[in-house]
C-alpha cells in the first residue's frame, strides 16, 4: 500500500534525508521519499501497523509525522504572517543596535552616556539587551536546531543555532571580562573586549536568515499555483433536476445518475454524458486546447470545463474524487511529491552535509587558534563557515523545479505520473507513434466497395451485420456507410486478434479481416495495389465454404496537426517511427503523408511490445505514443510510455505520461517541458554545489593569508539566505514555459457560388414594410442578406436558400409575392 504522510519540523535537505533514513529502516517499508517543499512523505509499506511504526520512528528522530486528516494543518498564510512579525521586530531592534554600534562611523549623533571607555559596560549591556529581542523572536532556530543536534541529526537550524549562539556566548563572556577589567582597573582589557563584542553579528545572522526564509517561503508558495488554480476551477454548486424540479445544490451533493443542467457561460460541475441539448465547451483548463469543442447527446463532458455557448443536460457519471479534474490534481500532487533520479547525488550529500560543515567549522577554529590568530579571528571564521553553508539550496534544487514543471505541464494538458517519467522523457531519441487514433483521427470512412461473388449491396449488408458487435474503428465506418439500414443478427461472434472477426449469420459462418486471415482460411483474394498507394486499407470478406465475397476499403485520415507535429519532433532531433498493423504499402502511403520515413508495418497487437524492445536493443531510448488497449504492452515496454488524450483507460493506466489533448503537438510540448525542467534542475544543482564549494573555503579564511581577505558572519548569513531564494526563483521561471505553436496550415479557399434572387413583392408601402420583409427573409436558413427596393417593389435575396421557403416567409408576413 502507498500512503502519504504529513511531516512537520523539516527545514532543510539534512532533515528530509534523516526522515527518509529512519523511515526506510522500519521493517515493512519498501520505499520512502520526502518532499521537503510540500512537507510530505510518500511511503510504500505493507500495513497500517507499519505506518504507525514509521510515525513513531519519525517522532524519535525529532520530527512529527501524521496521516492526512489526523491533524489540523495550520494555514500557510499564518506561517508567513508569523515570520513577517519576527522580521519586523528583529529588523527594528537590529537598526537600533547598528545605530549604537556603527552610527558614529558615519557621523550620526550618539548619546553622551554611550561615549568613552568609562561607559563601555553600559554600551555593552545595551547591545546585549537589544540582541536578546531577535534571539527571542527567532528562538525557533534554537528549539529545532538543538533538538536535532540532540537526536544526532543536525540540520540547517543546528548550524544557525550553533553559529549565532557562539557569537552570543562570546559576547556574554566579553561582558564578564569587561566587568573584571573595570573592577581591577585594567582599562586596556575593557577596551579590547568592548571593540569585539559580536552581539550585532548574532542579531544580524538571525534577522537576515529569517528574511531569507520569508522570501523563500513566499516564492515556494507560488510553486503550487498551478494546483491551486486547478482546484479553483471546480464550481461550488450545480443545478440538478430531481423529483421536486430544478434545484441548486452544493457540488458535493451531486450523485451519479443525477440530471445536471448547464447553461451558456456556466461551469460543468461533474463528469457525465450529454443526454440533451447542444453547445460548445471550453476545455482549455484541462487540455490546454483553446478551441471550444462541440458537445451533443452521447458526448462526454468533464468537470471544470466551461459551456461557452448553448444549453446542455447531462447524466452525472463521476463525482467528487472520481472526476477527471480530481484525478489530474491527484496525479500532479503525486508527481510533484516524487523524486527524480537526478536528485540522488544531492540527497546523498545532504545526508552528511551538516555534520561535515560543523566539522569544518571546528577544524577552522582550531587551525587559526594554533596559527596564533587569536580567539576573535578564529571564532569569526568558524561562525562564518556555519552560517554561510546552505543545505537548503541542495534540498530545494530538484523538488521545487519538479513541482513547478509538473504543475505547468498540467496547465498545458500534459500529466506526468512521477518525476522519473519527467526526467526520462528528456533522454529519448526515438518517438514511436501508433498509427490509428494517434497519428490519424481513428475514425476511418469507407471509400470503396469492391464486390466479389455477391452484389455490392449484399456485401455491405453482410459486412454491416458481421461488424455490428465489433468496436474496431473500421467496423464503425462500415456501419456508418450502411446508414442505419436493418441488419441480421450475428451469433457466435468472435474477435480474431490482429486478423479480423467471424460470426454466424442465418446459419452461415462469415469471416471479415485482413489478407493474413484470408490466407489462413485458404481464400484467394485479388490484389489492390492502387488502394494501398492511396493509404486505403481493404477489409476482405469470405464465408465458411471459402467463397470470396468481396472487399470494403476504408481510409483513416491524418489529424490536422500531425504533419506539423512530426516536423517539430524531427527538428528537435528526434527519430520518428510509425508502428501499425497495416500492410507495408498502406503504411508507407500514410507515413509519407505525415513526413515519416521509418515504418514498422504488419505488426500484430501482441508484437508491438517486441518491436519497441527491438528498437531499445539497438541502443535507442524510446518514447511510445499510443491510445488503444493493444498499445498497453508497448507503452510499458518503452523507456517512456505516453497515452494520448482520447485513449482508453487501460492505455492511460499503462503510460508514464498522459496527454489530455487528442493532439500530437502535445508530444513535442511534453518533451520540450521535460528538457526545460531538467535544465532548470541542473542549473539549481550547479548553483548549490558551486555556492557551497566556493563559499565555505572563503568563510574559513583561505583568502586571508594571500590577500588579507576575510568574510564576516553577517555577509555569510546574507549569502546563505539569498542562495535558497535564488534556487526557488530560478525554478519559478518554468511557470512561463510556452507550448510550441505550430505554423497554421495555409487556408484552403473554396470558391463558393452565391445566388442572387430578385423577388417582386406587392404590399410594401413604407420603411416599416421594408424592414419587416428584410427581417423575415433573413430568418430563412441559407439567406445571407436581403435588400428591399421600395420604388421597384422588389427584394434581392443573396445566398443558397430554398427560394420557395423565402416566398412562403414573405407571404406569411401578409405580403403578396408576384411570380
Amino acid at each position: 500500500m502507498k500512503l502519504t504522510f504529513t511531516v512537520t519540523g523539516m527545514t532543510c535537505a539534512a532533515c528530509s534525508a534523516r526522515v527518509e533514513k529512519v523511515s526506510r529502516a522500519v521493517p515493512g517499508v519498501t520505499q520512502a521519499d520526502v518532499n521537503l517543499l510540500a512537507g510530505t512523505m510518500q511511503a510504500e509499506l505493507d500495513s497500517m501497523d507499519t505506518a504507525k511504526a514509521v510515525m513513531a520512528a519519525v517522532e524519535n528522530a525529532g520530527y512529527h509525522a501524521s496521516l492526512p486528516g489526523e491533524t489540523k494543518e495550520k494555514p500557510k498564510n499564518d506561517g508567513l504572517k508569523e515570520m513577517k512579525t519576527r522580521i519586523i521586530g528583529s529588523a527594528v531592534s537590529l537598526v537600533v543596535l547598528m545605530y549604537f554600534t556603527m552610527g558614529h562611523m558615519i557621523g550620526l549623533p550618539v548619546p553622551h552616556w554611550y561615549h568613552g571607555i568609562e561607559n563601555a559596560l553600559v554600551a555593552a549591556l545595551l547591545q546585549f539587551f537589544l540582541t536578546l529581542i531577535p534571539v527571542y523572536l527567532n528562538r525557533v532556530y534554537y528549539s529545532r536546531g538543538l533538538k536535532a543536534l540532540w537526536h544526532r541529526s543536525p540540520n540547517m537550524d543546528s548550524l544557525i543555532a550553533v553559529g549565532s549562539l557562539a557569537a552570543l556566548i562570546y559576547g556574554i563572556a566579553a561582558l564578564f571580562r569587561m566587568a573584571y577589567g573595570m573592577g581591577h582597573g585594567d582599562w586596556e582589557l575593557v577596551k579590547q573586549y568592548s571593540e569585539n563584542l559580536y552581539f550585532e553579528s548574532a542579531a544580524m545572522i538571525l534577522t537576515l536568515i529569517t528574511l531569507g526564509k520569508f522570501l523563500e517561503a513566499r516564492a515556494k508558495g507560488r510553486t503550487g499555483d498551478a494546483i491551486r488554480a486547478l482546484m479553483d476551477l471546480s464550481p461550488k454548486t450545480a443545478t440538478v433536476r430531481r423529483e421536486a424540479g430544478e434545484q441548486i445544490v452544493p457540488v458535493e451533493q451531486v450523485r451519479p445518475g443525477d440530471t445536471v443542467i448547464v447553461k451558456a457561460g456556466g461551469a460543468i460541475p461533474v463528469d457525465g454524458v450529454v443526454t440533451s441539448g447542444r453547445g460548445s465547451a471550453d476545455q482549455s483548463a484541462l487540455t490546454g486546447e483553446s478551441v471550444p469543442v462541440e458537445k451533443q447527446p452521447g458526448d462526454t463532458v468533464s468537470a471544470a470545463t466551461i459551456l461557452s455557448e448553448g444549453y446542455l443536460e447531462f447524466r452525472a457519471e463521476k463525482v467528487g474524487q472520481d472526476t477527471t479534474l480530481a484525478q489530474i490534481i491527484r496525479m500532479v500532487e503525486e508527481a510533484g511529491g516524487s523524486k527524480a533520479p537526478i536528485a540522488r547525488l544531492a540527497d546523498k550529500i545532504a545526508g552528511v552535509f551538516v555534520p561535515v560543515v560543523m566539522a569544518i567549522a571546528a577544524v577552522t577554529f582550531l587551525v587559526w587558534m594554533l596559527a596564533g590568530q587569536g580567539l576573535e579571528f578564529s571564532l569569526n571564521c568558524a561562525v562564518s563557515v556555519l552560517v554561510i553553508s546552505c543545505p537548503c539550496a541542495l534540498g530545494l534544487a530538484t523538488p521545487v523545479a519538479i513541482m513547478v514543471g509538473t504543475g505547468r505541464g498540467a496547465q498545458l494538458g500534459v500529466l506526468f505520473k512521477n518525476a522519473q517519467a519527467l526526467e526520462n522523457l528528456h533522454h529519448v531519441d526515438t518517438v514511436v507513434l501508433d498509427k490509428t487514433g494517434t497519428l490519424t483521427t481513428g475514425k476511418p470512412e469507407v471509400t470503396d466497395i469492391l464486390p466479389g461473388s455477391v452484389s455490392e449491396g449484399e456485401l455491405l449488408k453482410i459486412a454491416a451485420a458481421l461488424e455490428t458487435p465489433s468496436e474496431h474503428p473500421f467496423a464503425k465506418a462500415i456501419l456508418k456507410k450502411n446508414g442505419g439500414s436493418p441488419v441480421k443478427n450475428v451469433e457466435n461472434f468472435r474477435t480474431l486478434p490482429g486478423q479480423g472477426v467471424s460470426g454466424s449469420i442465418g446459419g452461415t459462418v462469415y469471416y471479415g479481416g485482413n489478407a493474413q486471415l484470408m490466407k489462413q482460411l485458404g481464400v484467394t483474394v485479388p490484389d489492390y495495389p492502387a488502394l494501398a498507394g492511396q493509404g486505403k486499407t481493404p477489409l476482405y470478406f469470405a464465408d465458411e465454404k471459402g467463397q470470396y465475397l468481396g472487399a470494403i476499403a476504408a481510409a483513416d485520415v491524418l489529424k490536422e496537426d500531425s504533419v506539423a507535429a512530426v516536423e517539430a519532433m524531427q527538428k528537435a532531433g528526434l527519430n520518428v517511427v510509425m508502428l501499425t498493423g497495416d500492410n507495408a504499402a498502406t503504411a508507407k502511403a500514410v507515413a509519407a503523408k505525415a513526413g515519416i520515413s521509418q515504418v514498422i508495418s504488419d505488426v500484430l497487437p501482441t508484437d508491438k511490445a517486441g518491436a519497441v524492445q527491438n528498437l531499445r536493443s539497438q541502443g535507442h531510448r524510446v518514447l511510445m505514443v499510443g491510445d488503444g488497449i493493444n498499445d498497453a504492452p508497448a507503452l510499458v515496454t518503452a523507456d517512456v510510455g505516453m497515452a494520448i488524450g482520447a485513449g482508453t483507460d487501460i492505455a492511460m493506466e499503462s503510460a508514464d505520461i498522459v496527454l489530455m489533448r487528442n493532439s500530437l503537438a502535445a508530444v513535442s510540448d511534453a518533451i520540450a517541458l521535460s528538457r526545460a525542467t531538467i535544465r532548470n534542475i541542473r542549473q539549481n544543482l550547479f548553483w548549490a554545489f558551486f555556492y557551497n564549494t566556493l563559499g565555505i573555503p572563503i568563510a574559513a579564511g583561505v583568502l586571508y593569508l594571500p590577500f588579507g581577505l576575510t568574510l564576516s558572519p553577517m555577509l555569510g548569513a546574507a549569502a546563505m539566505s539569498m542562495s535558497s531564494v535564488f534556487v526557488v526563483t530560478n525554478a519559478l521561471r518554468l511557470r512561463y514555459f510556452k507550448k510550441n505553436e505550430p505554423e497554421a496550415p495555409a487556408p484552403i479557399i473554396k470558391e463558393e457560388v452565391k445566388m442572387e434572387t430578385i423577388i417582386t413583392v406587392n404590399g410594401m408601402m413604407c420603411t416599416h414594410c421594408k424592414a419587416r420583409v428584410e427581417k423575415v427573409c433573413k430568418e430563412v436558413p441559407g439567406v445571407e442578406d436581403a435588400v428591399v427596393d421600395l420604388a421597384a417593389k422588389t427584394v434581392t435575396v443573396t445566398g443558397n436558400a430554398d427560394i420557395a421557403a423565402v416566398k412562403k416567409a414573405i407571404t406569411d408576413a401578409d405580403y403578396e409575392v408576384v411570380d
Side-chain angles (χ1 to χ4, degrees):
M1 60 191 302
K2 190 174 184 179
L3 293 177
T4 300
F5 296 85
T6 300
V7 183
T8 56
M10 298 187 299
T11 58
C12 67
C15 299
S16 59
R18 176 67 175 170
V19 171
E20 285 180 355
K21 184 178 180 181
V22 298
S23 298
R24 289 170 181 169
V26 175
V29 176
T30 55
Q31 185 64 28
D33 291 317
V34 169
N35 185 336
L36 176 64
L37 190 64
T40 60
M41 176 176 68
Q42 290 183 8
E44 292 182 10
L45 33 79
D46 55 7
S47 66
M48 287 305 297
D49 289 337
T50 303
K52 293 176 181 177
V54 167
M55 289 188 280
V58 173
E59 291 282 351
N60 292 335
Y63 307 93
H64 177 71
S66 61
L67 291 171
E70 290 187 358
T71 57
K72 188 175 181 180
E73 295 183 27
K74 190 167 72 172
K76 290 183 178 180
N77 285 341
D78 288 355
L80 286 174
K81 287 179 181 177
E82 183 262 343
M83 203 178 291
K84 192 173 183 180
T85 302
R86 285 163 47 196
I87 291 171
I88 293 172
S90 300
V92 170
S93 62
L94 180 62
V95 169
V96 176
L97 178 59
M98 297 303 288
Y99 168 76
F100 281 108
T101 57
M102 297 183 180
H104 63 283
M105 297 180 184
I106 56 175
L108 294 177
V110 180
H112 66 87
W113 47 264
Y114 194 83
H115 284 297
I117 192 69
E118 66 278 4
N119 293 319
L121 189 59
V122 174
L125 285 171
L126 177 62
Q127 293 179 39
F128 172 63
F129 287 120
L130 286 171
T131 302
L132 287 180
I133 296 173
V135 168
Y136 174 77
L137 289 174
N138 299 290
R139 61 192 180 278
V140 64
Y141 295 124
Y142 301 107
S143 60
R144 290 195 305 226
L146 297 178
K147 182 180 180 182
L149 203 57
W150 177 259
H151 284 93
R152 298 187 301 281
S153 56
N155 56 20
M156 192 200 70
D157 288 339
S158 304
L159 296 177
I160 298 168
V162 172
S164 59
L165 269 179
L168 186 64
I169 291 171
Y170 175 82
I172 294 171
L175 280 176
F176 282 97
R177 293 293 289 164
M178 289 168 66
Y180 176 84
M182 283 184 169
H184 291 77
D186 189 348
W187 297 103
E188 281 298 320
L189 183 66
V190 174
K191 183 180 179 182
Q192 175 189 347
Y193 281 99
S194 66
E195 294 174 351
N196 296 285
L197 287 171
Y198 285 107
F199 284 128
E200 72 275 12
S201 291
M204 183 72 81
I205 288 170
L206 293 169
T207 304
L208 286 177
I209 286 173
T210 304
L211 175 61
K213 283 288 181 185
F214 175 75
L215 295 175
E216 178 188 323
R218 281 187 61 184
K220 285 196 296 187
R222 285 154 55 197
T223 62
D225 283 352
I227 295 178
R228 282 190 290 276
L230 287 172
M231 290 178 174
D232 292 340
L233 290 173
S234 183
K236 303 296 183 287
T237 60
T239 302
V240 298
R241 180 180 291 123
R242 291 177 177 165
E243 293 178 359
E246 290 187 13
Q247 303 174 11
I248 298 177
V249 300
V251 71
E252 295 82 8
Q253 294 181 14
V254 178
R255 301 185 297 266
D258 278 346
T259 297
V260 183
I261 300 169
V262 183
K263 299 177 182 178
I268 295 171
V270 296
D271 293 3
V273 178
V274 177
T275 54
S276 66
R278 289 175 182 271
S280 298
D282 179 358
Q283 302 182 153
S284 58
L286 297 185
T287 66
E289 188 58 59
S290 57
V291 180
V293 178
E294 293 295 320
K295 298 293 181 181
Q296 56 188 1
D299 290 341
T300 59
V301 290
S302 299
T305 56
I306 306 296
L307 186 65
S308 52
E309 61 178 8
Y311 172 89
L312 293 179
E313 293 187 12
F314 66 92
R315 182 178 63 256
E317 297 282 342
K318 295 180 180 179
V319 300
Q321 293 302 308
D322 295 328
T323 64
T324 302
L325 176 67
Q327 292 175 36
I328 289 174
I329 293 172
R330 189 158 55 246
M331 194 180 295
V332 173
E333 287 178 336
E334 288 179 359
S338 61
K339 283 202 173 180
I342 197 173
R344 288 172 186 160
L345 177 60
D347 289 345
K348 288 179 181 178
I349 293 174
V352 297
F353 184 86
V354 175
V356 168
V357 168
M358 298 187 82
I360 292 173
V363 170
T364 299
F365 179 79
L366 292 174
V367 167
W368 286 120
M369 285 293 291
L370 293 174
Q373 291 298 325
L375 178 63
E376 295 83 4
F377 183 88
S378 303
L379 184 65
N380 184 83
C381 291
V383 171
S384 295
V385 169
L386 290 172
V387 298
I388 199 173
S389 56
C390 187
C392 271
L394 279 173
L396 292 171
T398 300
V400 71
I402 292 292
M403 180 172 283
V404 179
T406 53
R408 181 59 182 147
Q411 292 176 328
L412 297 176
V414 179
L415 302 181
F416 297 93
K417 288 190 176 179
N418 51 58
Q420 185 168 353
L422 179 66
E423 180 176 348
N424 289 346
L425 184 59
H426 96 284
H427 287 302
V428 301
D429 56 33
T430 300
V431 180
V432 177
L433 302 175
D434 175 57
K435 191 204 80 172
T436 305
T438 302
L439 196 62
T440 63
T441 60
K443 298 177 181 178
E445 293 190 0
V446 171
T447 57
D448 302 88
I449 300 177
L450 307 166
S453 60
V454 296
S455 68
E456 183 177 309
E458 186 66 21
L459 174 61
L460 182 59
K461 287 182 179 180
I462 293 172
L466 186 59
E467 297 288 355
T468 297
S470 176
E471 290 296 323
H472 195 280
F474 276 23
K476 295 178 181 178
I478 291 172
L479 292 175
K480 182 180 178 182
K481 184 67 175 177
N482 191 46
S485 298
V487 296
K488 296 180 180 179
N489 291 330
V490 181
E491 297 177 350
N492 301 320
F493 175 82
R494 285 197 307 146
T495 297
L496 309 172
Q499 294 181 320
V501 295
S502 69
S504 177
I505 304 172
T508 301
V509 177
Y510 292 93
Y511 297 88
N514 55 24
Q516 293 179 5
L517 176 61
M518 296 296 112
K519 184 178 180 181
Q520 185 177 316
L521 295 172
V523 178
T524 303
V525 298
D527 189 16
Y528 298 110
L531 294 178
Q534 296 168 13
K536 300 175 181 178
T537 302
L539 202 61
Y540 303 99
F541 293 88
D543 60 18
E544 60 186 3
K545 300 175 183 177
Q547 182 178 348
Y548 174 65
L549 304 178
I552 296 178
D556 190 3
V557 297
L558 294 174
K559 293 177 181 176
E560 290 183 1
D561 64 347
S562 289
V563 175
V566 169
E567 185 180 354
M569 291 181 219
Q570 291 169 340
K571 284 182 178 178
L574 298 167
N575 177 37
V576 182
V577 180
M578 189 181 85
L579 182 66
T580 179
D582 289 348
N583 62 69
T586 302
K588 286 180 180 178
V590 174
K593 291 179 182 178
I596 299 173
S597 57
Q598 187 174 352
V599 180
I600 303 175
S601 59
D602 298 298
V603 180
L604 293 174
T606 52
D607 296 334
K608 285 187 176 182
V612 170
Q613 184 58 45
N614 185 45
L615 288 170
R616 293 185 66 196
S617 64
Q618 295 172 21
H620 294 293
R621 294 189 175 181
V622 180
L623 164 66
M624 172 68 194
V625 185
D627 74 319
I629 293 175
N630 56 20
D631 296 323
L635 292 172
V636 174
T637 304
D639 293 282
V640 181
M642 185 179 287
I644 203 157
T648 63
D649 291 339
I650 294 177
M652 293 187 182
E653 190 66 30
S654 305
D656 303 299
I657 302 166
V658 176
L659 303 180
M660 297 302 294
R661 278 186 280 159
N662 190 16
S663 164
L664 269 186
V667 177
S668 297
D669 293 339
I671 295 172
L673 178 59
S674 170
R675 290 177 174 177
T677 303
I678 298 303
R679 184 166 57 248
N680 191 283
I681 290 173
R682 286 173 175 161
Q683 291 168 352
N684 287 344
L685 288 173
F686 170 79
W687 169 254
F689 285 121
F690 171 78
Y691 165 81
N692 284 293
T693 304
L694 184 67
I696 292 174
I698 292 176
V702 295
L703 298 180
Y704 178 70
L705 292 179
F707 304 108
L709 297 176
T710 58
L711 187 71
S712 76
M714 290 181 283
L715 288 176
M720 190 274 273
S721 299
M722 291 303 105
S723 178
S724 296
V725 174
F726 173 86
V727 166
V728 176
T729 305
N730 185 49
L732 286 175
R733 292 189 304 113
L734 289 170
R735 296 192 307 167
Y736 307 106
F737 172 86
K738 293 183 179 179
K739 66 181 181 180
N740 295 318
E741 295 291 352
E743 294 182 10
I748 300 173
I749 301 174
K750 295 182 179 178
E751 186 177 349
E752 188 175 356
V753 179
K754 295 181 180 178
M755 277 181 33
E756 280 193 358
T757 304
I758 300 174
I759 304 172
T760 303
V761 181
N762 285 337
M764 298 187 296
M765 306 295 294
C766 61
T767 54
H768 173 75
C769 296
K770 175 180 184 292
R772 173 73 172 156
V773 171
E774 286 178 349
K775 181 175 183 293
V776 297
C777 288
K778 289 177 181 178
E779 288 176 349
V780 176
V783 173
E784 294 185 9
D785 197 10
V787 180
V788 167
D789 185 341
L790 282 175
K793 297 188 181 299
T794 61
V795 56
T796 302
V797 179
T798 305
N800 297 318
D802 181 357
I803 298 302
V806 175
K807 291 180 178 180
K808 184 178 185 302
I810 296 172
T811 303
D812 290 345
D814 296 328
Y815 296 94
E816 180 188 357
V817 175
V818 180
D819 288 331

